[in-house]
Amino acid sequence: GDSVTQMEGPVTLSEEAFLTINCTYTATGYPSLFWYVQYPGEGLQLLLKATKADDKGSNKGFEATYRKETTSFHLEKGSVQVSDSAVYFCALTGGFKTIFGAGTRLFVKA
Amino acid sequence: DTAVSQTPKYLVTQMGNDKSIKCEQNLGHDTMYWYKQDSKKFLKIMFSYNNKELIINETVPNRFSPKSPDKAHLNLHINSLELGDSAVYFCASSQGGPTSNYGYTFGSGTRLTVV
């Protein structure tokens, strides 16, 4: 069945460091791909998305490119801030539902 | 102005009790969901309704019963609460069904603690 695999956290970075959170997927057909962010005590918020191969989603300095050849949708940000500390979820539309990864916790130190 | 609102935000109750969580969305979306998030942040889909019709009903104890009086509301009733039901429950909505290309909008969650 369809699935999403994210790198295990926590990821700990210093402010202004470069961020990569890996996400790979397996899917039949052509899924749409998403990144959601969950700040402490809040619900998930859609961060960015890509609906077809080679599309790049971007928002708030975060980017991810839909790579069909490597079945990946890695999240990147050039310079993280303390306020980016949160849990990040990769997701895809598969079958008859949206499937979420297990989440990756990011800590950013000042 | 809240897009997806859940009540209550916190719920502490004793084992064996029955409780309900309410959810409302003002986005005009046609599909609503209940998710359970455990202490490790893993999200599990429980139910989904599209225009008041149940379309996703995952393997969930039948003590959990969703009700959708209209497409803007989805409530979750839980009978005979158990310790293992302690979790954060999220309501979400989307336009165009569970595989919407627009993504989901989530509520802020209900933290249920069973003691």
Side-chain angles (χ1 to χ4, degrees):
Chain A
D2 297 349
S3 66
V4 175
T5 303
Q6 291 182 233
M7 64 188 287
E8 274 196 45
V11 173
T12 303
L13 295 172
S14 297
E15 216 168 14
E16 299 184 5
F18 185 85
L19 168 71
T20 300
I21 299 179
N22 290 339
C23 172
T24 57
Y25 67 90
T26 56
T28 52
Y30 304 96
S32 293
L33 301 173
F34 306 86
W35 276 102
Y36 288 82
V37 58
Q38 184 179 24
Y39 298 105
E42 298 183 12
L44 281 71
Q45 301 173 25
L46 180 63
L47 182 59
L48 53 85
K49 65 178 183 180
T51 57
K52 61 182 188 296
D54 300 325
D55 269 2
K56 177 186 281 189
S58 61
N59 186 24
K60 299 181 181 179
F62 291 89
E63 293 183 339
T65 301
Y66 189 162
R67 303 276 187 210
K68 191 166 181 292
E69 63 277 12
T70 54
T71 62
S72 64
F73 192 55
H74 304 322
L75 182 69
E76 296 181 337
K77 187 176 185 184
S79 175
V80 294
Q81 305 300 312
V82 171
S83 57
D84 294 326
S85 298
V87 180
Y88 293 81
F89 292 88
C90 185
L92 65 78
T93 54
F96 190 58
K97 52 190 172 184
T98 293
I99 297 166
F100 288 85
T104 302
R105 187 182 293 274
L106 170 66
F107 290 108
V108 180
K109 302 180 296 185
Chain B
D1 287 297
T2 306
V4 179
S5 59
Q6 298 179 225
T7 54
K9 189 168 176 63
Y10 300 97
L11 186 52
V12 181
T13 187
Q14 291 188 326
M15 276 173 41
N17 283 351
D18 303 339
K19 290 294 179 185
S20 291
I21 307 172
K22 297 188 175 182
C23 179
E24 175 181 5
Q25 55 97 1
N26 63 3
L27 298 166
H29 288 169
D30 58 10
T31 310
M32 296 184 72
Y33 312 83
W34 279 112
Y35 278 84
K36 179 180 180 181
Q37 187 175 49
D38 64 23
S39 58
K40 295 185 178 179
K41 300 296 185 182
F42 183 73
L43 274 169
K44 179 183 175 183
I45 179 75
M46 301 173 71
F47 304 104
S48 176
Y49 274 76
N50 178 267
N51 287 316
K52 298 181 1 179
E53 180 185 350
L54 182 65
I55 57 171
I56 294 177
N57 186 359
E58 293 291 297
T59 306
V60 173
N62 58 16
R63 299 180 294 103
F64 290 79
S65 53
K67 282 191 172 52
S68 182
D70 56 59
K71 75 172 192 176
H73 295 84
L74 179 61
N75 303 322
L76 182 66
H77 188 76
I78 315 169
N79 289 326
S80 303
L81 278 154
E82 301 178 357
L83 293 176
D85 298 332
S86 296
V88 181
Y89 292 84
F90 285 102
C91 179
S93 70
S94 70
Q95 182 59 33
T99 56
S100 167
N101 284 339
Y102 299 104
Y104 291 8
T105 302
F106 282 80
S108 59
T110 295
R111 181 175 293 278
L112 171 65
T113 304
V114 183
V115 297

